[in-house]
Amino acid sequence: MGLFTTMRNAWKIADLRKKMFFTLLMIFIFRLGSFIPVPGLNPDVLKSMVGEGTIFGFVNILSGGAFEKATIFAMSISPYINASIIIQLLTVAIPKLEALAKEGEEGRKIIAEYTRYGAVILGFLQASAFYFGLDQAVNERNILSFITITLSFTAGTAFLMWLGEQITEYGIGNGISLLIFAGIVSRGPSGIYYLYNQYKLERLGKGILGIFGVIGVIVIFVAIIAAVVWVTEAERRIPVQYAKRVVGRKMYGGQSTHIPIKVNMAGVLPIIFATSFVALPATIVGFFFPNSTHPVAQYFRTFQSRIEISILSGLLIMFFTFFYTFIQFNPVELANNLKKNGGFIPGIRPGKPTSDYIYKVISRITWFSALFLALIQILPSVLQAITGISGIWFAGTSVLILVGVALETVKQIESQMIMRHYKGFLE
C-alpha cells in the first residue's frame, strides 16, 4: 500500500507529475525503438539463438525482446552494465581511479564519463562479435553490412545511455535502472501467455496437478517478491559510541549511533557473473556448432537443465557474493576511520579487534545473502522439475532487478516530495 500511496501523493505535485510524464515518455521511446529493425539481419535466426541458459537469453530479457526481433536496441544497456562493473572493479585496483572516487561529485563525474566511453567501446566490440559469430543471421556479408549492423547496435546502446541520463536529470531518477526495469516488465505478458498456452495445450499433465501447478507458481512468485523485498531492505546495525572530546570551549562527541550494513551488499551482480560464466559453453555451442549432433555439443546444449550445473551455479553465486562484498567493504579501513574520529564499538577494543569483529559480522550476513541468492537463482530449475512448467522468467536476476529498482524509485520520489515540503515550509 505504501507504493500506491507514494505514487498518489506524488501525482498531486505539479512538478513531480511533469517528471513522471517525462519518464513515461522516455520509456515509451525505448519501447518504440525495440520494434525498429536493423537492416540486413534475419530476426528468425536470432530468435532461434535465444534459448534458456544462453547469454543471448539474458540480453533478450534486459532488452525486452528487442534482441530476438533484431532491432536497434538489441544489445539493450548490457554494454553499459559491463562497463560499470569493469570500472568499479578497476577503481579498487587502480589508485588513480580510487582517488577520483573519493573526490566527491567531480570525481564521480569523471568516472561516469569513463564509463560512457567504455560502454561505447564494449558496445562496438559486442556488435562486431555478433556480426562475425552469427553467420546465418546476416543476409549479405560485405563492408557496408558490417558498418550498418555494428554502428546500428552501438548507436542504439549509446542512445539508451542518453535516454537513461535524461530520465535521471529531468525525470524521477534512476534512468538506466528504469530502462532495464521496463525491458524486464515488458516480457511479463508474454510469459503469462506462455504459461496459459502450456496449460491450455495440457502440457502440464506431466507436472503435479495442472491448474494447481500454475496457481502454485503464482503463489511462489508473490512469496519470492516478498522475500527479496525483505532481504533487500534488511540491514545489520553495529552500535558505535563516540568519546567526548573538548576543542576550545566546545565539547564534541559523546553520542551513540550505529553502522548500517546491508544484508545483500552485492545486489544482483553475483548472479550476473555466475550466469554469464555458466551460460558461456551453451553460447559457444550455439555460435559455432548450432546443428551439431556430437555428444559433447548435445551435452552443452542441455547444460542448464542438469542438476550438477544448478549446483555449480549456486556455488559460483556464493563465491562471487563473498568476492564482491569484500571488494567494496573494507573492515580494516572502517575500523581505522572509527579510531581516528574517536569512535568505538561497545565491548570491542579499537584497532585490529574492531576490524576483526566487523569482518566476523560481515561474514555471517554474507553467508545468509549468498545462500539466499543461490536459492533464488536455482529456483526456476526446481519449479520446472516439480511442476513441468518451462520458461519461468520471474526468478534470479529478473526479480532482484525488478524489486531493487522499484524500491529505489519509490525512495527517490519520497525524497523529492520531502525536499519540496521543506522548501514550501521555509518559504
Side-chain angles (χ1 to χ4, degrees), residues 27 30-31 60-65 177-192 221 225 393-394 397-399 401-403 405-406:
I27 292 176
F30 162 58
R31 293 306 304 152
N60 191 58
I61 291 175
L62 293 183
S63 65
S177 299
L178 281 175
L179 292 180
I180 298 173
F181 180 90
I184 296 175
V185 169
S186 67
R187 302 290 296 163
S190 62
I192 295 173
F221 171 53
I225 291 181
W393 64 278
F394 55 75
T397 311
S398 300
V399 72
I401 293 175
L402 291 177
V403 172
V405 174

Side-chain angles (χ1 to χ4, degrees), residues 75-76 78-80 82-83 116-132 143 145-158 161:
M75 294 195 306
S76 184
S78 57
Y80 180 84
N82 297 332
R116 292 190 202 101
Y117 291 144
V120 173
I121 294 172
L122 287 178
F124 179 75
L125 293 176
Q126 187 172 323
S128 300
F130 283 163
Y131 180 85
F132 290 111
I143 186 65
S145 68
F146 171 77
I147 293 174
T148 302
I149 293 172
T150 55
L151 291 187
S152 295
F153 282 158
T154 307
T157 295
M161 279 195 301

Side-chain angles (χ1 to χ4, degrees), residues 16 30 69 94 121 142 186 308 329 347 367 370 373 412 414:
L16 279 181
F30 162 58
K69 298 183 181 73
I94 300 176
I121 294 172
N142 51 52
S186 67
E308 63 269 22
F329 199 98
W367 269 111
L373 292 177
Q412 286 273 357
E414 287 179 342

Side-chain angles (χ1 to χ4, degrees), residues 55 100 108 178 185 215 310 372:
I55 294 176
L100 280 174
R108 284 193 291 270
L178 281 175
V185 169
I215 295 175
S310 297
F372 177 78

Side-chain angles (χ1 to χ4, degrees), residues 203-214 383-389:
R203 292 179 182 175
L204 296 178
K206 299 177 182 179
I208 291 184
L209 289 173
I211 186 62
F212 293 103
V214 176
L383 290 178
Q384 181 175 338
I386 295 176
T387 64
I389 302 175

Side-chain angles (χ1 to χ4, degrees), residues 203-239:
R203 292 179 182 175
L204 296 178
K206 299 177 182 179
I208 291 184
L209 289 173
I211 186 62
F212 293 103
V214 176
I215 295 175
V217 167
I218 295 174
V219 171
I220 292 174
F221 171 53
V222 176
I224 288 174
I225 291 181
V228 170
V229 171
W230 178 68
V231 172
T232 301
E233 294 292 287
E235 60 183 24
R236 168 72 159 85
R237 297 181 177 181
I238 300 178

